[in-house]
Amino acid sequence: MKHCYVYIMANKPNGVIYIGVTDNIEERVREHKNKIYPKFFIAKYNCENLIYFEEFENGEEASIREKQFKSGKEIGKLN
């Protein structure tokens, strides 16, 4: 079974963060670090440090969790 991941990348401590969902966390982090998509937000702001991720059994669960993070209510709980 293929898992999905919600992940958070940052450019520095207390800096800009990016929250995303993927089914291949290793490849996605590699793409971000290598700036494969130079015009995307994550490349423009140098968000290349993986600071957090969670694993889910399906994409629907991961999308729900991503929305919770993006609402801002969950970010403070990571500290």
Side-chain angles (χ1 to χ4, degrees):
M1 174 184 274
K2 197 161 195 168
H3 291 149
C4 287
Y5 303 86
V6 173
Y7 64 98
I8 301 175
M9 304 280 294
N11 62 352
K12 61 183 178 180
N14 299 315
V16 175
I17 64 167
Y18 175 85
I19 302 167
V21 174
T22 185
D23 62 357
N24 187 335
I25 190 76
E26 292 174 0
E27 179 62 25
R28 193 68 177 127
V29 169
R30 190 174 9 264
E31 288 174 356
H32 290 319
K33 286 183 177 284
N34 293 323
K35 296 181 176 75
I36 299 297
Y37 307 105
K39 294 184 180 182
F40 285 18
F41 176 92
I42 202 155
K44 287 181 181 180
Y45 290 94
N46 296 315
C47 296
E48 58 185 31
N49 301 308
L50 179 66
I51 61 169
Y52 185 82
F53 73 92
E54 290 181 13
E55 184 177 14
F56 297 89
E57 292 195 17
N58 65 60
E60 186 176 330
E61 291 175 359
S63 292
I64 291 169
R65 185 66 169 139
E66 177 191 28
K67 288 176 186 170
Q68 288 174 337
F69 278 125
K70 288 184 174 181
S71 74
K73 297 174 185 170
E74 298 294 322
I75 297 296
K77 293 180 182 177
L78 295 178
N79 296 330

